[in-house]
Amino acid sequence: MAEPPLAVRRRSRLGSAPKRSRPPVGPSAACSPLALKRANTGGEGVPAQRPVRGGTGKRKGDGGVQEGYCNDSEEDMFGDYNSFCEDDSLLAQVLDTEHTRPQDAETDVKAAGEFVLEGLPSGIDQRKQDNSSASETGVICGGDTEHGFQTPENDPLDNKEDLGDSLLDELPSSQLLYFRSADKIWRASSPCPDSEHKNRSTEFSSDLKSDSCKNTSLKDHLKNALTENAKAQTLKVSKTKQLKEAILSEEICVARKAIGSSSVDIGPFYGLPSKVKDLFWQLRGIETLYEWQHDCLTLECLQQRKNLIYSLPTSGGKTLVAEILILQELLCMQKDVLMILPYVAIVQEKLHMLGEGSRGATLEMTLAKILYTSKSTHIVGMSATLNNVGDLQKFLQAEYYTKNFRPVELKEYIKIRDTIYEVDSKAENGFTFSRLLNFKYSSNLKKADPDHIIALVTEVIPKYSCLIFCPTKKNCENVASMVCKYLNKEFRSHREKEKQDLIKDLKNIGNGSICPVLKQTIPFGVAYHHSGLTNDERKSIEEAYSRGVLCLLACTATLAAGVNLPARRVILRAPYVANDFLKKNQYKQMIGRAGRAGIDNAGESILIVQEKDKHLVQDLVTSPLENCYSNLLPEFTKGMQNLLLSLVGLRIAVTQEEVYNFLCHTLLGVQQQLLSKEKSLSELVKDGLESLIEKGLLTVKIMEKDQNSKTALAITRLGKAAYKGSIDLSYCNLLYKELKKGLEGLVLESSLHLLYLATPYDMVSNCSPNWMIYLRQFNQLSAAEQTVADMVGVPESFIAKKASGQAIRKNVDSASVNRLYLTFILYTLLKETNIWSVSEKFNLSRGYVQNLLTSAASFASCVLHFCEELEEFWVYKALLTELTKHLTYCVKTELIPLMEVAGVLEARAKQLYNAGYKTLAHLANANPETLVKTIEHLSRRQAKQIVSSAKMLLTEKAEALQEEVELLLKVPTDIPGTS
């Protein structure tokens, strides 16, 4: 996974509390999500070995770790007590005691109930917990020992007992703590005398005690409690586990005290319990931290909670530092953490990308608002490549830490013809001769491979891994095919079975279809990787490469910035990305993938250069990194105007002076000396506000104060709808007009018209319709649907003439034409729900179709929020809510409830539905063992996760309804006539 660039840590506000207080359950209240998630692969038999990935810290030798197995057998809750009737049973002993000492039979029933609940191995503590132990984020740090699990002094620990693999162990770590709380609510209907007693008012409970419990024997109370606990699905926790978790809870408390002190030594593991260190060892193979990581984590500025920027080369281990800092906040400080991870396609943004397009503008606006409105927020930014760090330090009010550290040495080379040169900054022209390629080329091979790619890759594969960065997607596929065509047949035998499994996996993803290029290349351990693949295809290929099943990937630049897949050798096919010459930042990102920590002692990068580009490449390798500049002005509607509108809408700034003051605290404000001489920052603010007023998004109000008139800015209803819906202001008025026009005659025979309104504007400019396909799709529409085309300004005659190549005299808006074509793709996709068939029908890549679908789902949600702020568009609310669901899941309507469950994709949803599991309630109450037997290719681990996730979702929905009920039944405090 790529490095998360920014961890923004917020201090908790005094007196703040969650909306709904849920007492923690059992001894795990003090555990973090990371500590709760077990290192279990879910398999059976021999434990799996986990591969080591480099770049985060010093690791153990082979990186493997034996993991626990899953005990799926049902265990008797009553241990050695076989029945309620035997003389040596617990109840028999209690009954005997009751007869012997009848005066105690009617005493403290509550204590008896607590004894049962504590003594049973179910791990359920029904007593009321101290709500003050819950943090804002719901992660529990420490607990009340009085209400925790206690091990009796005379009860020896059974070190062999470990029943830990319960249903909850199979849940994703992000859901564990929530589900532990939800599990208590799930069992709230249990008629345990003690729990009933606590859920009633004091007055009613006292009546109950005097009327009901008085004449009930202790035996009956125990029997009821045991029976109800036996019925419930219980969390099996051994005494050993209880003790370990008690120690963990104590360590967290100690760490919290330590991290709050001024001492540099902040606790067992940088303010975290030793359990976290153990998990890093078990799950990642990280035994100790690099020296720079230790130095960074113990910086005085971090102890004083000052903002920090830290920068190191790629693969230096930056992510681990961010993870430790985040865990400190969640576990020890009990504060919220906001991870800022802007994405475009699969590219993960880093701090240095503040200067790259609309992504940078959005990141800058977010950081500026946080800095301006919250002085207590702690910001930590990280990046691999920074140059003008002084501007960023001033903007973020941060200190700076940097090291030129790489765990694996990187050697840079360039290749011109058949000669390899090493990059040498001390040399006169930047290069020194290294070697000549030693590979025999036939005449046919020279024509097919003039750049000697086969010679370069066969030096390292299949023993080591290799990445080839190509300028275009098509070039990736061509290179992968060409390499396989001339590789030795022996490459096919390397991990042959696993390659066949990968092909089967890709066929399942494609509903029986697989890309012919991948079908040809995967048997050789070769594949391509670019945005033309679907997300699931990319994930499968990445995992296969990480495991060593694939040894060569031909990829585009998106992989360099977005996915952490290191290689022994990185080859740059050409110094270009598409048609643009490579930038230094891009070059550094690509070559930074070379060298895998813990596996390679060196990494190599080879840039293939043509003679004509030699001087450009010399400048590239010797030049400094590019500076980072604000993009608020270049991205005007997504940057400056959007910022001004949101400032007024959020009431961060309501006068021109306040807006200008805010802009001075942005990166643009720090760099305002770079602005053109024609306009100053204050003039830019004035012009931007006037433009928003002209568009009807802002208005000016006169406020009287002490007989002096004062003007203030206010947001209009349209402006509020625009920023609440995150609508690009360049399309805002157009969207409003089209929605307004739709009210005059929205065609509801099908979803086509509504889909057109939800088709994203920002994908229109990149659309190039195939006119024959366009006409064929139009002719397949019903008469009512064809009127939609006329209504949006695309007549049939226009499409027919374009398809036949005739001249067009009448002007037709190209944006509307392209947008309707995209709508046809989405309409076909919702009907067929198969990305493969739709991509073939429209002659588009699968990745493009999936990206269109994802963008449309997002934009439909934005339009929904836009309409919610404008009363005249009330009719769209219900329609867009359903459309957003359909676009999000892109399955038949009946499968949508099942798709909400974690781990259930379309193919699995169809299996479950056909097997009779048609609702969320069916899955929540399913038996995992029955699921395994019924559903083909479903592992026991997956079955448990599906049931647990469904139960959590069902509980969440029930809670939401319960809150509505409570709100409806709440007695108003301002009833007329009451005091």
Side-chain angles (χ1 to χ4, degrees), residues 460-478:
V460 289
I461 67 169
K463 186 177 180 180
Y464 301 105
S465 57
C466 182
L467 294 175
I468 304 177
F469 286 105
C470 304
T472 66
K473 289 181 283 190
K474 189 62 180 174
N475 193 230
C476 290
E477 298 178 29
N478 291 340

Side-chain angles (χ1 to χ4, degrees), residues 847-917:
Y848 179 87
V849 174
Q850 187 176 61
N851 187 36
L852 172 62
L853 180 65
T854 305
S855 298
S858 177
F859 187 64
S861 178
C862 291
V863 176
L864 171 60
H865 291 301
F866 180 84
C867 292
E868 285 174 342
E869 298 299 326
L870 299 168
E871 291 180 9
E872 65 261 46
F873 295 146
W874 64 270
V875 71
Y876 287 114
K877 294 178 186 177
L879 296 172
L880 286 169
T881 300
E882 289 304 309
L883 181 65
T884 302
K885 276 187 183 180
H886 282 280
L887 288 169
T888 300
Y889 297 110
C890 192
V891 294
K892 300 295 183 184
T893 306
E894 62 268 19
L895 298 181
I896 289 178
L898 302 180
M899 293 284 289
E900 294 181 61
V901 178
V904 177
L905 298 177
E906 182 182 2
R908 182 73 74 209
K910 287 179 180 177
Q911 284 181 311
L912 292 167
Y913 189 87
N914 294 334
Y917 299 96

Side-chain angles (χ1 to χ4, degrees), residues 364-380:
E364 181 180 350
M365 288 188 291
T366 303
L367 290 170
K369 289 173 187 173
I370 292 171
L371 287 163
Y372 192 81
T373 58
S374 175
K375 303 301 180 185
S376 61
T377 300
H378 188 195
I379 297 176
V380 178

Side-chain angles (χ1 to χ4, degrees), residues 532-762:
L533 297 168
T534 64
N535 292 337
D536 292 332
E537 286 174 323
R538 280 201 297 262
K539 183 179 178 182
S540 293
I541 288 171
E542 288 164 12
E543 288 176 352
Y545 177 83
S546 296
R547 299 196 313 269
V549 177
L550 297 176
C551 55
L552 175 65
L553 287 186
C555 49
T556 53
T558 53
L559 185 137
V563 183
N564 185 21
L565 295 177
R568 174 66 171 264
R569 176 174 290 179
V570 169
I571 300 169
L572 280 68
R573 174 73 176 73
Y576 291 91
V577 175
N579 296 320
D580 301 324
F581 194 79
L582 207 59
K583 295 179 181 178
K584 184 61 176 277
N585 284 338
Q586 294 171 323
Y587 172 71
K588 283 292 186 183
Q589 278 186 338
M590 291 181 188
I591 67 172
R593 299 290 128 207
R596 299 164 298 171
I599 299 176
D600 300 327
N601 24 8
E604 301 173 338
S605 70
I606 300 175
L607 172 58
I608 298 174
V609 181
Q610 305 300 322
E611 194 68 43
K612 63 183 180 65
D613 294 325
K614 184 176 179 180
H615 295 294
L616 291 173
V617 170
Q618 286 176 342
D619 294 337
L620 174 69
V621 297
T622 57
S623 64
L625 297 167
E626 292 87 3
N627 285 337
C628 177
Y629 296 115
S630 170
N631 263 278
L632 289 181
L633 277 184
E635 295 290 330
F636 192 64
T637 56
K638 289 185 179 180
M640 177 66 83
Q641 284 200 338
N642 191 23
L643 175 59
L644 298 180
L645 182 66
S646 63
L647 289 178
V648 177
L650 296 170
R651 300 193 65 79
I652 295 174
V654 294
T655 66
Q656 185 173 320
E657 293 77 18
E658 290 174 351
V659 172
Y660 171 74
N661 184 42
F662 179 94
L663 263 292
C664 289
H665 290 81
T666 62
L667 182 60
L668 176 65
V670 171
Q671 297 175 335
Q672 57 182 299
Q673 74 276 5
L674 301 174
L675 294 172
S676 61
K677 296 180 180 179
E678 290 82 19
K679 286 189 178 181
S680 64
L681 183 61
S682 60
E683 290 173 321
L684 288 170
V685 169
K686 182 182 177 182
D687 291 348
L689 292 173
E690 287 177 352
S691 174
L692 292 174
I693 293 169
E694 287 176 13
K695 290 180 179 179
L697 302 174
L698 290 181
T699 186
V700 178
K701 292 185 177 180
I702 298 177
M703 303 176 65
E704 294 184 2
K705 187 177 180 181
D706 300 332
Q707 298 179 345
N708 294 324
S709 62
K710 185 179 180 182
T711 61
L713 298 164
I715 195 164
T716 64
R717 288 172 56 250
L718 180 61
K720 187 177 182 182
Y723 96 80
K724 282 288 187 74
S726 301
I727 303 296
D728 187 335
L729 299 187
S730 57
Y731 309 126
C732 180
N733 287 328
L734 177 60
L735 175 64
Y736 181 83
K737 289 176 183 176
E738 290 188 328
L739 289 170
K740 195 79 172 176
K741 187 177 180 181
L743 292 178
E744 299 171 6
L746 189 65
V747 178
L748 293 176
E749 182 185 277
S750 71
S751 60
L752 182 66
H753 198 172
L754 197 64
L755 261 177
Y756 178 81
L757 297 174
T759 301
Y761 291 106
D762 56 4

Side-chain angles (χ1 to χ4, degrees), residues 300-319:
E300 188 176 349
C301 65
L302 283 180
Q303 311 311 314
Q304 297 174 358
R305 301 188 62 79
K306 293 180 180 178
N307 295 345
L308 173 70
I309 299 170
Y310 65 100
S311 173
L312 282 94
T314 302
S315 301
K318 298 181 295 297
T319 304

Side-chain angles (χ1 to χ4, degrees), residues 48-185:
Q49 296 294 319
R50 185 177 297 273
V52 175
R53 297 185 185 177
T56 53
K58 295 180 184 177
R59 296 159 188 269
K60 55 189 176 182
D62 59 1
V65 55
Q66 286 197 340
E67 300 175 355
Y69 61 90
C70 181
N71 183 1
D72 293 305
S73 62
E74 293 295 330
E75 298 197 24
D76 186 0
M77 286 187 59
F78 301 104
D80 296 327
Y81 303 108
N82 297 321
S83 72
F84 290 149
C85 305
E86 292 187 24
D87 292 339
D88 60 347
S89 70
L90 172 63
L91 288 176
Q93 295 176 39
V94 170
L95 187 60
D96 181 64
T97 304
E98 201 172 17
H99 286 305
T100 307
R101 301 180 62 189
Q103 69 274 16
D104 293 339
E106 297 178 3
T107 59
D108 207 350
V109 175
K110 177 181 174 184
E114 289 182 347
F115 165 74
V116 172
L117 292 169
E118 282 189 1
L120 284 175
S122 64
I124 305 173
D125 187 352
Q126 296 279 5
R127 290 172 296 170
K128 189 173 182 180
Q129 301 290 324
D130 184 0
N131 288 336
S132 65
S133 67
S135 70
E136 277 190 305
T137 56
V139 178
I140 309 303
C141 182
D144 190 342
T145 56
E146 182 183 352
H147 298 302
F149 276 77
Q150 302 293 329
T151 303
E153 292 180 6
N154 59 348
D155 192 4
L157 292 176
D158 183 3
N159 292 324
K160 296 179 182 179
E161 182 185 3
D162 190 0
L163 312 175
D165 286 325
S166 66
L167 285 177
L168 290 183
D169 289 327
E170 310 303 333
L171 217 59
S173 60
S174 59
Q175 300 176 7
L176 275 169
L177 286 180
Y178 176 83
F179 187 77
R180 288 180 184 274
S181 300
D183 192 63
K184 188 168 185 176
I185 297 167

